[in-house]
Every structure is written in C-alpha cells, then in structure tokens.
C-alpha cells in the first residue's frame, strides 16, 4: 500500500488529538473502585488494596468477557461500566514536558505545562553522573523528569491527562538527517543508556523525599516499593507502585522517517548481530534493566525482514525473558495494520493480530486488534490465554499506578494540583536545564562573555531570534510561557536593535538582509540566531542537506561583514548543521548551539552571552560535513567499509572529517585534567567455574579472551582523575573517560568509546579529585560479530577527554591460560 496512506493516518491522529481536547478527557472518573460504586464491586478482590497487585489483576481480568477483553487491546480502552473500570487512554506524551496527545488536554484548569528543552539539549548537559543511579544525590536529569511526572500526576488529578506516558525516545541518533534525532539523547550508547534509565526512574519511582511532605502518607502495604513483589509465577515483581508509567521507544533500530523514497512504515533495517548488541539495543536494555521501565514500544520498521512488533525473539526472548521487562509492550501507532497491509508480512488482519500477540505485544496503538481480535480467535489463530497475558500486562500497570485504589484524594500524589504545574520552581528549572545544555563552540579572543557595561547597543537578527514554538521542538504541549532570545537579551541591554533578516527559516529570498546589515553596522555587538525548525526536521521528515536553509548563510556573512563589533552566531537546531563557513570565518567570533531549548531558552542564552552563566554543555553527536549526505541513510552499519568507501557512523566508528566532534564544548574558563592513578596491569581472577562466554565449557580453553559472568562482573579498578580550574571564573567541566581496545582485537570494535563521565563544578583556581570505577567486563568488553561479548586480553588504553587527550594504558591478563 502506498506510503501516502500512512502519512494520512498520521495526520488523522494529530487531528484526533485536537478533537480529544474538547470532549473526551473530561467527564467520567479516571479512577476505579471509588466510593461512588456499588458495594458489590468494592467487595471484589481487585478493589482490595490489601491484596498483592498480581492477584488483584488476575481477579480483574478473570471477570471480563472475551468481547470486553478484546476491546481493551487498543490505546483508547473503553470503560467497563458493570465493574466500574474507567476508560483509559494509553497514549499520552511527555518527552520534555506533558504534551499534546490523545490522553492529554490543555483545555481545563491547567492551560499549559512546563516545556523543558528537547532531550538532545538536556543530554548535552552531561549532568547525570553515575551517582544518580545509585541514589547518593539527585542529579540534574533526575530532576527534570521528576518535574514532568509531578505535572503529569497533577494533570491526572485535574482530569487532563492519563498516567501512561510514551517517552523517552532512546533510539541511537545514527544519522544527522534524521528528523527525530532531536528527541533523543544523541549518538552514544552509554550516554543514551544512562539518560534512559535515569529518566525512567525519575518518572516512575515514588520518592517520599521528593518535594516531600506535601504528599499524603503512604497507605496500606502497597506503598512499600519492592516489598510487594509476589511470588506469583508469571510476574514476580509486578507489585512496585508507579508515579507515572513510561515507555522506552522505539524498539529497535528505528531512525529513518522518509529518505529517498523509503519511509519508516516500509523500511527494513538490515542490522548485524554485532551492531544490534553493541549499539542499537543497549539503551533499551538499560531502560528495562536499570530503569525498570514499565513499558516498551516496538517500532514501525522491520529488522532483518521481521516487523519488530511481530518479533518473538525481540519482544519475548530479549525484552521479557533476558532483560526482565515487567510491564506492557505497545505497538507504534498503526504498526499492527502495517504488518498485513503495507509489508505483507502477515496474509490477513487476523494473522497480524495473532502474530503480534503471540510475539509478546500487549497493546495495539490503533484499532486493528479491536476490529479483528474476535475473528482471530474464532479462526483459531490466537487463544484467549494469550489475550489474558496481554490484559494482565496492561491492567497490572494501571493497578501499579493506583487507578484501582479508590477515590483520588486517598491516592498517593492525590494532593497535587494546579499549583504544581508551571510552578516558579519548574519554570526556573526549564531555564536551568537549557543553560546547562547550551554548547559554546567558538570563542575567538574570548569575545564572550559580553561585559554588561560595554554593550550599550546590541543588534539581534536571524530567523530564530524571536523564536517561540520553534524553541520547543516536537512533542510539545502548551508551555507556561515563552522567553524568546529577543526577550532574554532585553533584560541585559538598554538598546536592542532587532531585524529578523529572513521571513522564515527557509529564508528563500534575501530581501530582509540589508536591514539586518544596517543594524549590525551601528551596534556594539551582533547576535545572529539562525538554524532550523520543524519545517526542516521532524517526525516523517528527514533532511536532505545539512546546510543552513536558503539565504541564511548569506545573511550571516553579510551581517558579519557589516558589523563593527563582535559577531556571535547562535544555531538553534536538533540535528547538526554544517556551519564550516562560520567556523573558519574570522569575522564570526563566537558560535553557540542551543538545541531546541524549551520555553525558557531565550533567557538561558542571554544569561550565557552576558556571563551570568558559564557554558558547560558538550555535543552529544558528531557534526558531519555536508558531504556526509552522500551516504545512504538506510545503511545501518555502524562500522566503515573500506571496499565500498562507507565512512561509518558516530565518533565510535567514523574516521572522516567533522565540523565539530562528539564531546566538543568550551567554557569561559580553562580546565586541566590528568589521570593521577590507574593500574597498568590488571589481573582478572580466574576461578574454577570460569567459563568461556560462548561454549560454557569449563575444561576447554577460550581462544583470545574471556568473559566470565560469574566473576568478571564484580572485578573492578579505580581510575583517579584530577581536574583544576585555571581561570578566574567558576565553571563546569565534563570529565569523559574513553577506552580504546587492543589493536589485535576481535574485529569490528569501536575506535574508542565512552565508558564513564562526570560533570563537575569548580570555583576559580580550584581543583578536585574524581574517581571512576571501571568494571572491565562491563565497560571494556567488545561485542563480537555474533553479538556475544568478550573482554579481549592485552593492552587497553584509557583516554580522558575528547580533545587534548590524556591517555593511560592498562594490560589485562589472566591466569586462566
Ligand atoms: C481484603 O483482603 C484482605 C486480605 O485477603 C482480607 O483480610 C480483607 O477482609 C479484605 N477486605 C475486604 C473489604 O474484602
Ligand atoms: C490454543 O490452545 C490449544 C489447546 O491448548 C492448542 O492446542 C493450540 O495450539 C493453541 N493455539 C494457538 C494458536 O496457540
Ligand atoms: C517577539 O515575539 C513575541 C512573542 O511572540 C511577540 O509578542 C513580539 O511582538 C515579538 N517581537 C518582535 C519585535 O517581533
Ligand atoms: C564579506 O567580505 C569579504 C571580504 O571583504 C568578501 O570577500 C565577501 O564576499 C563578503 N561576503 C558577503 C556575503 O558580503
Ligand atoms: C562492504 O562493501 C562491499 C563492496 O560494496 C560489499 O560487497 C560488502 O558486503 C560490504 N560489507 C558489509 C559488511 O556491508
Ligand atoms: C568441553 O571441552 C572438552 C575439550 O574441548 C571436550 O572434551 C568436552 O566434551 C566438552 N564438554 C562439553 C560439555 O561440551
Ligand atoms: C547539575 O545539576 C544540578 C541541578 O540543576 C546543579 O545543582 C549542579 O550544579 C549541576 N552540576 C554541575 C557540575 O554543573
């Protein structure tokens, strides 16, 4: 079937979103087992909060007729009046703030929600050091999703949202043209994995210490996280309560919208076992294992011929059995229909429904399962027991959210309301997040920061200089407010001259350039806010060029030529832009990248330009030159291919030229860091039980290295790093520790890869020591061609920093041989 059909479906969904605003969300209760129900219902075990969640869920599912069960398999799940089961809209968005989606409305008491930066910018703060995972302190990324989930709960209490959010997007940002790269934390598997697990934990976990005393006291046994775990065979850890439920998407190898006639609905990603294990699946594993995500979404594309939503191996073997997913799996919207109508993988709608359910899918975003579920059962293609499993996975998550715990005022977070949405604290956090992420890429002669008194008259131009909704990126809602770059800068200068320079982002004609050059020629300094927006990169739209659109380059160069003072170029974009012309132009003195910085982005930018904040963000992706657009976007190989001239992807494999590199980012101060201690030789203990990863045979010798899951996992050593701020200004430095595998490796391993990072703040002329714990098997293993892992013996090199590298060699030896 033609691609247009699915584009139409996509737009219809967006249209539906608007309709939902008006009548669906308000009205009936969103909670079950409330005191308004009959006593006979309230006496049923599923309403009894003293019973383990798994048992309550089994009880609830057992009370449904087959017809009622089938109706529950889709995102808009109807109410079951006779049991007081409320309707549930599963599809809610909260990528960087509660956002437009079928389950969310901004018509109601809450007319907006805090819009944080797009994840690509939040990730570039690199402020999510490993300690956030072990809970010693609350890091930055823990805080943004905590604010989002608090607003989500508050909107739920107001009847304006449901609690199942379909974020984060953790696909690897593999190609700079990808329209949805802005939604992700970038190209690195470690960074993406840590972002994924911290986001999930902060959105899902109930923390009494949070903004704390405001929440009502825990009620009943359910409030003790993890002690609820039941031994119920099918779902051992089903009992953990959830603040909100989030969804790791899109599983897996999904990162093409529409390129050269191939759209995401028809795309078959050909992925090697090595790349799947080493790159594409790593964030999903972390999201499930370390984050304990309660949901995953399978993608539109196929992987090696099999639609991901019909892939038993991925959904059941990998996600559920190997990683231990405890929650539900949803399809991307209409992905079940595509399986028979677009790619002819299943001969009929009934076969598609049966195949996805048997593969492990629980929810169909769309309507195929509701429409064809009964006939699939009637034709013997799927059994009711399989549907029961799906309903168990679905209702257990609703149960964990407290939806069947009675009146909302008795529920946890029941007191959250309007005051918790767009609070002053959240608005400031949105500015703080942008300020921590913004990346300084060029600062000739330290023209930045501007000295307040020295810039009497500032010229501002560029098509994003007064950006509002463009600052939000996609998957946005209604923000609390906008602080545009223009408005942010007005707080610092008495006289601000503004000319947009282009009519819009496409900047088709140069008619406004002259006026922009004119203000530049009379000002003490010039700021040009250029870049792209959703007309260039978004869902269903990949870019074909990495250059600035239309006449933007001409605008920038002309303004730079006419200017008498310093010229600062600000790029607003999700994906990388080839701005080599500006990098090498001596008349452009400073360059900043601000991602899509969210509702407070203009304030954060102005704070940085005037030195109220010292920038410390680092690029989370490689900035490729325009020539990279010759590479086939659908080539999923991460590694270069010397015979075909394919250059490979990401800093881990790509050896070609870059405009800027992964990890690039300057500060207004200078840091010096060194490795002060690390072993040069490390013995991996070899025990009797030690086995090769591959053949699990304790008497045979392993060829070149080994990975012993029994002992290797706990072996570790410490790398100590000293970092000093050598300037007069306080600032933040991100310490990035990479490893380089031995030369005589197993083949196809990365050139180097990030194994740990930590952002630290240092006062002027101060220094500190930071320790990194390295677990050789976890951090230094290589993934082999067949997808298994091996810690290769020999000399591994540890590298600190991406530029001005400091390196240190460690040899791994074992007495196993
Ligand atoms: C709830 O379950 C507990 C434990 O099984 C039981 O003791 C109690 O009587 C039940 N409550 C109601 C209202 O049925
Ligand atoms: C349905 O259940 C029956 C009886 O257990 C079994 O023989 C049959 O193979 C099942 N069908 C499917 C499609 O799983
Ligand atoms: C800048 O944008 C704001 C918000 O849309 C608008 O109110 C204001 O008029 C714009 N300023 C100029 C100078 O265009
Ligand atoms: C800017 O000035 C340089 C040097 O005078 C000139 O070569 C270039 O063409 C000018 N560019 C624009 C866009 O005016
Ligand atoms: C590398 O390129 C050659 C020549 O185009 C091709 O035959 C080969 O299959 C490619 N290797 C991989 C791993 O894609
Ligand atoms: C283990 O390896 C040894 C030597 O290669 C071989 O003789 C033996 O049969 C293997 N045992 C198993 C269980 O595979
Ligand atoms: C990390 O973020 C937190 C919360 O915003 C902030 O207090 C802290 O200073 C940040 N750390 C660094 C090193 O910038």
């Amino acid at each position: 079937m033609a691609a247009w059909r699915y584009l139409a479906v996509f737009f219809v969904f967006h249209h539906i979103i608007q309709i939902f605003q008006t009548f669906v969300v308000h009205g009936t209760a969103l909670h079950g087992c409330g005191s308004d129900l009959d006593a006979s219902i309230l006496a049923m075990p599923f309403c009894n909060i003293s019973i383990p969640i798994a048992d309550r869920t089994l009880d609830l599912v057992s009370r449904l007729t087959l017809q009622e069960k089938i109706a529950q398999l889709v995102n808009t799940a109807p109410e079951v009046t006779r049991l007081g089961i409320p309707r549930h809209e599963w599809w809610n968005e909260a990528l960087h703030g509660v956002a437009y989606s079928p389950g969310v409305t901004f018509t109601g008491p809450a007319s907006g929600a805090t819009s944080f930066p797009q994840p690509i910018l939040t990730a570039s703060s690199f402020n999510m050091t490993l300690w956030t995972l072990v809970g010693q302190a609350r890091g930055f990324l823990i805080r943004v999703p905590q604010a989002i989930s608090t607003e989500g709960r508050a909107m739920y209490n107001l009847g304006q949202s449901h609690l199942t959010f379909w974020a984060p997007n953790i696909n690897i940002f593999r190609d700079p043209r990808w329209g949805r790269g802005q939604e992700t934390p970038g190209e690195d598997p470690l960074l993406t994995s840590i972002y994924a697990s911290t986001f999930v934990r902060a959105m899902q976990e109930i923390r009494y210490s949070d903004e704390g005393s405001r929440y009502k006291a825990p009620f009943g046994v359910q409030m003790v996280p993890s002690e609820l775990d039941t031994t119920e065979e099918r779902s051992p850890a089903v009992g953990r309560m959830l603040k909100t439920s989030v969804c790791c998407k899109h599983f897996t190898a999904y990162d093409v919208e529409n390129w050269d006639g191939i759209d995401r609905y028809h795309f078959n990603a050909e992925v090697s076992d090595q790349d799947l294990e080493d790159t594409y699946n790593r964030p999903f594993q972390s999201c499930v294992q370390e984050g304990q995500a309660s949901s995953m979404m399978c993608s539109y594309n196929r992987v090696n011929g099999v639609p991901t939503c019909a892939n038993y191996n991925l959904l059941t073997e990998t996600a559920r059995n190997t990683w231990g997913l405890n929650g539900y799996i949803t399809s991307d919207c209409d992905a079940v229909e595509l399986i028979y109508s677009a790619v002819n993988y299943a001969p009929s709608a009934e076969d598609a429904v049966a195949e996805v359910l048997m593969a492990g899918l629980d929810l169909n975003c769309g309507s195929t399962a509701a429409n064809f579920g009964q006939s699939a059962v009637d034709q013997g293609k799927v059994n009711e027991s399989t549907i029961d499993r799906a309903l168990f996975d679905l209702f257990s998550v609703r149960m964990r959210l407290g939806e069947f715990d009675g009146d909302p005022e008795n529920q946890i977070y029941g007191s959250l309301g309007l005051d918790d949405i767009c609070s002053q604290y959240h608005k400031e956090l949105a500015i703080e997040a942008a300020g921590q992420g913004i990346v300084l890429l060029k600062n000739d002669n330290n023209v930045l920061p501007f000295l307040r008194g020295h810039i009497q008259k500032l010229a501002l131009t560029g098509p994003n200089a007064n950006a509002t909704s463009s600052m939000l990126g996609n998957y946005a809602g209604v923000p609390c407010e906008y602080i545009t770059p223009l408005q942010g800068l007005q707080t610092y200068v008495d006289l601000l001259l503004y000319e947009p320079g282009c009519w819009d982002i496409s900047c088709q004609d140069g008619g406004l350039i002259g006026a922009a050059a004119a203000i530049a020629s009379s000002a003490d300094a010039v700021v040009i806010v250029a870049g792209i927006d959703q007309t260039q990169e978004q869902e269903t739209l990949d870019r074909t060029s990495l250059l600035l659109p239309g006449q933007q380059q001409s605008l920038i160069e002309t303004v730079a030529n006419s200017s008498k003072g310093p010229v600062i170029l600000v790029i607003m974009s999700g994906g990388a832009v080839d701005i080599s012309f500006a990098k090498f132009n001596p008349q452009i003195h400073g360059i900043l990248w601000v991602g899509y910085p969210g509702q407070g982005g203009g304030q954060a930018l102005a704070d940085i330009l005037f030195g109220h904040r010292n920038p410390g963000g680092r690029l989370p992706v490689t900035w490729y030159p325009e020539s990279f657009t010759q590479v086939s976007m659908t080539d999923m190989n991460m590694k270069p291919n010397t015979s075909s001239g394919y250059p490979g992807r990401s800093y881990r494999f790509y050896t070609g030229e870059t405009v800027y590199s992964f990890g690039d980012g300057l500060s207004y101060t200078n840091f010096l860091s060194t490795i002060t201690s690390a072993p040069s030789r490390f013995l991996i203990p070899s025990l009797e039980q030690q086995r090769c990863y591959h053949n699990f045979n304790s008497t045979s010798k392993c060829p070149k290295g080994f990975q012993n899951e029994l002992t290797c996992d706990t072996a570790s050593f410490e790398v100590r790093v000293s970092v000093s701020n050598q300037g007069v200004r306080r600032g933040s430095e991100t310490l990035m520790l990479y490893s380089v595998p031995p030369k005589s490796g197993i083949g196809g391993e990365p050139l180097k890869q990030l194994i740990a990072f930590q952002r630290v703040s240092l006062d002027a002329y101060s220094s500190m020591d930071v320790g990194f714990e390295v677990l050789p098997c976890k951090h230094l293993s290589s993934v082999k061609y067949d997808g298994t892992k091996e810690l290769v013996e020999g000399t591994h090199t540890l590298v600190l920093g991406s530029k001005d590298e400091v390196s240190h060699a460690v040899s791994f030896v074992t007495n196993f041989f």
Side-chain angles (χ1 to χ4, degrees):
M1 190 160 296
W4 62 264
R5 166 99 201 264
Y6 297 101
L7 287 172
V9 167
F10 173 79
F11 288 118
V12 166
F13 271 118
H14 275 248
H15 187 62
I16 287 171
I17 289 169
Q18 304 304 323
I19 296 168
F20 265 103
Q21 307 304 318
T22 54
F23 68 90
V24 172
V25 176
H26 287 289
T28 55
L30 298 182
H31 60 277
C33 303
S35 54
D36 53 323
L37 296 178
D38 278 2
S40 61
I41 296 176
L42 298 180
M44 292 174 182
F46 76 84
C47 283
N48 185 337
I49 62 168
S50 305
I51 295 176
I53 281 184
D55 298 338
R56 293 172 67 193
T57 307
L58 288 172
D59 176 67
L60 188 156
V61 174
S62 73
R63 290 171 191 280
L64 300 174
T65 65
L66 177 60
Q67 199 185 1
E68 286 166 339
K69 288 174 185 173
I70 288 168
Q72 293 294 319
L73 294 171
V74 293
N75 62 295
T76 306
E79 66 186 317
V80 184
T81 321
R82 67 186 181 86
L83 295 170
I85 298 173
R87 71 200 157 73
H88 183 83
E89 177 52 65
W90 289 91
W91 183 0
N92 303 271
E93 300 288 354
L95 179 70
H96 53 111
V98 179
Y100 281 121
S101 39
V104 171
T105 176
F106 292 97
T107 309
S111 55
T114 312
S115 193
F116 292 96
Q118 276 290 47
I120 192 74
L121 188 72
T122 304
S124 65
S125 74
F126 278 81
N127 186 353
M128 43 189 154
T129 43
L130 290 170
W131 40 255
T132 59
L133 286 180
V134 296
Q136 286 169 9
R138 290 165 58 199
F140 176 64
L141 277 174
I142 278 280
R143 298 170 75 132
V144 170
Q146 269 168 344
I148 297 171
S149 53
T150 294
E151 296 198 358
R153 269 283 172 181
M155 287 186 70
Y156 168 74
N157 292 344
L158 296 170
Q160 293 184 249
S161 177
H162 297 251
L163 294 171
T164 47
F165 294 104
W166 288 353
N169 180 343
I170 53 168
N171 292 111
I172 292 292
F173 194 171
R174 174 187 62 97
D175 191 294
R177 292 164 283 187
W178 185 33
R180 301 186 71 177
Q182 58 182 305
E183 298 172 31
T184 75
E187 72 184 18
D188 180 61
L190 179 85
L191 175 63
T192 306
S193 296
I194 293 177
Y195 181 89
S197 58
T198 52
F199 182 92
V200 171
R201 292 190 56 181
M203 288 283 289
Q204 289 197 163
E205 287 181 9
I206 292 170
R207 288 156 195 253
Y208 300 113
S209 58
D210 275 7
E211 284 102 328
S213 49
R214 307 200 40 211
Y215 302 129
K216 291 203 168 170
F219 65 94
V221 292
Q222 290 181 329
M223 302 316 305
V224 187
S226 79
E227 284 186 13
L228 281 171
D229 297 356
T230 110
T231 48
E232 208 273 315
E233 208 178 276
R234 193 163 43 183
S235 218
V238 79
R240 191 164 297 160
M241 291 295 287
L242 298 167
K243 183 178 181 187
T244 63
S245 163
V246 297
C247 175
C248 311
K249 70 190 189 185
H250 315 77
F251 189 48
T252 185
Y254 161 63
D255 54 18
V256 170
E257 299 302 303
N258 196 338
W259 180 83
D260 196 27
I262 300 167
D263 68 41
R264 58 185 183 165
Y265 313 112
H266 298 82
F267 179 47
N268 178 27
E270 286 176 33
V271 186
S272 70
D273 291 340
Q274 191 175 35
D275 285 337
L276 197 63
E277 187 66 26
D278 188 36
T279 298
Y280 296 108
N281 278 356
R282 273 174 62 187
F284 291 96
Q285 179 169 7
S286 169
C287 206
V288 170
Q289 285 187 330
E290 288 169 57
Q292 297 278 301
S294 56
S295 172
M296 288 178 94
M297 178 186 285
C298 48
S299 53
Y300 286 119
N301 55 288
R302 285 164 287 164
V303 170
N304 299 328
V306 183
T308 58
C309 293
N311 194 323
Y312 179 85
N313 206 26
L314 281 174
L315 306 190
T316 299
E317 277 303 324
T318 303
R320 253 183 227 293
N321 297 347
T322 309
W323 299 342
L325 172 69
N326 169 26
Y328 74 97
I329 302 177
T330 182
S331 74
D332 205 336
C333 297
D334 279 335
V336 177
E337 185 186 349
L338 295 172
I339 289 171
Y340 69 92
S341 67
V343 298
N344 295 320
Y345 181 80
S348 69
E350 286 81 5
D351 288 288
V353 170
E355 288 204 34
V356 294
L357 289 171
M358 290 191 296
L361 191 87
D362 304 306
L363 187 74
N364 172 198
C365 180
S367 55
T368 312
N371 294 342
F372 299 98
Q374 186 67 53
S375 44
V377 173
D378 293 345
Q379 292 168 21
K381 292 184 163 147
V382 66
N383 281 335
E384 188 167 357
S385 60
T386 304
I387 293 173
D388 284 349
R389 182 225 64 221
L391 287 216
F392 180 88
D393 293 339
L394 292 168
F395 277 104
S396 63
V397 169
R398 290 177 68 178
M399 214 45 101
R400 292 163 67 195
L401 287 163
E403 253 193 63
F404 296 93
D405 290 353
D407 298 339
E409 54 273 26
N410 298 332
Q411 293 179 12
I412 184 150
Y413 300 110
S415 65
L416 291 179
L418 209 47
D419 291 349
D420 301 283
I421 303 167
C422 291
S423 62
Q424 194 56 32
Y425 171 69
H426 289 180
K427 290 193 281 193
E428 282 165 16
L429 188 58
I431 298 169
E432 174 72 22
Q436 289 200 27
I438 290 174
V439 183
L440 177 66
L441 292 167
K442 179 178 179 180
N443 192 14
D444 284 356
N445 305 320
N446 296 321
V447 292
L448 289 175
F450 291 147
L451 295 175
R452 239 179 139 151
H454 290 199
I455 310 287
Q456 313 279 327
K457 200 195 226 186
L458 181 71
L460 176 67
T461 185
N464 274 327
N466 197 27
T468 53
S469 57
S470 300
M471 290 197 297
L472 309 184
N474 64 357
Y475 284 88
V478 179
C480 322
E481 62 180 1
Y482 286 114
I483 309 175
T484 73
L486 172 68
Q487 291 162 339
L489 286 166
Q490 271 164 346
T491 63
Y492 283 97
V493 287
D494 295 335
L495 189 52
L496 184 73
L497 308 171
Y498 166 64
E499 278 294 335
C502 303
W503 297 107
D504 58 19
I505 284 292
S506 68
C507 203
Q508 288 305 326
D509 74 74
L512 297 180
I513 293 178
I519 59 165
S521 64
S522 73
D524 300 319
V526 182
V527 175
I528 309 166
V529 189
I532 52 179
D533 65 11
Q534 304 301 303
T535 64
Q536 312 289 314
E537 55 173 354
Q538 64 158 300
E539 188 159 6
T540 72
L541 180 64
D542 295 319
R543 280 183 294 165
T544 52
S545 168
L546 301 178
L547 299 174
L548 287 171
Q551 302 292 310
Q552 285 199 39
Q553 179 173 337
S554 165
L555 166 72
I556 294 161
E557 288 175 337
T558 308
V559 165
N561 272 7
S562 331
S563 166
K564 66 178 168 96
V567 176
I568 308 301
L569 174 63
V570 177
I571 298 295
M572 192 179 286
S573 72
V577 180
D578 180 347
I579 46 162
S580 310
F581 76 92
K583 179 180 179 182
F584 298 115
N585 183 340
Q587 289 172 298
I588 296 169
H589 308 94
I591 301 177
L592 290 137
W593 174 72
V594 299
Y596 292 122
Q599 63 176 41
Q603 188 65 56
L605 171 64
D607 290 348
I608 285 176
L609 291 173
F610 281 88
H612 183 64
R613 280 173 198 282
N614 190 347
R618 303 298 197 91
L619 291 182
V621 286
T622 302
W623 281 36
Y624 302 90
E626 174 69 358
S627 59
F628 193 83
T629 57
Q630 285 156 23
V631 171
S632 162
M633 197 175 164
T634 50
D635 191 326
M636 300 298 285
N637 283 300
M638 294 304 296
K639 295 174 301 249
N641 182 338
T642 40
S643 45
S644 67
Y646 178 72
R649 294 172 183 277
S650 86
Y651 79 90
R652 297 167 72 228
F653 299 98
Y654 173 78
T655 52
E657 298 222 335
T658 63
V659 179
Y660 288 106
S661 302
F662 177 86
D664 276 359
L666 305 169
S667 168
Y668 293 154
T669 185
N670 291 318
F671 293 98
L672 187 71
S673 45
T674 54
I675 296 178
T676 50
S677 89
S680 53
R681 195 164 171 279
F682 190 78
L683 183 77
I684 303 281
S686 141
L687 298 183
E688 270 307 293
Q689 325 84 300
Q690 196 156 278
R691 316 171 281 195
C692 287
Y693 185 84
H694 216 166
N695 60 14
F696 293 95
N697 181 338
S698 61
T699 59
S700 74
K701 285 199 169 180
C702 308
K704 240 189 193 166
F706 64 89
Q707 172 137 334
N708 173 6
E709 292 193 293
L710 293 176
T711 61
C712 196
D713 274 358
T714 53
S716 72
F717 61 83
E718 197 182 33
V719 176
R720 293 212 67 84
V721 170
S722 160
V723 51
S724 63
N725 179 349
Q726 307 204 304
V728 296
R729 199 178 268 279
R730 183 181 167 80
S732 290
E733 168 74 330
T734 296
L735 299 167
M736 299 168 117
L737 189 67
Y738 295 86
S739 77
V740 178
K743 285 266 179 301
S744 56
I746 43 110
E749 59 270 82
L751 302 162
K752 66 171 183 180
Q753 66 179 330
L754 191 64
I755 60 168
F757 58 87
Q758 185 163 335
R759 176 168 169 144
V760 295
S761 275
L762 285 172
D763 287 332
Y765 300 118
S766 69
S767 61
M768 73 189 285
D769 256 18
V770 175
F772 290 104
E773 190 189 25
V774 177
L775 296 135
C777 293
K778 181 173 178 199
H779 295 129
L780 305 180
S781 290
S782 300
V783 175
K784 299 197 285 188
Y785 290 116
D786 65 2
T788 61
K789 279 168 125 187
E790 186 170 296
L791 176 61
V792 180
E793 261 201 296
T795 301
H796 294 244
T797 306
L798 301 172
V799 177
L800 184 64
S802 43
K803 286 250 168 74
D804 309 321
E805 297 172 343
V806 182
S807 62
H808 177 93
V810 193
S811 297
F812 290 97
V813 292
T814 170
N815 56 9
F816 181 59
F817 293 91

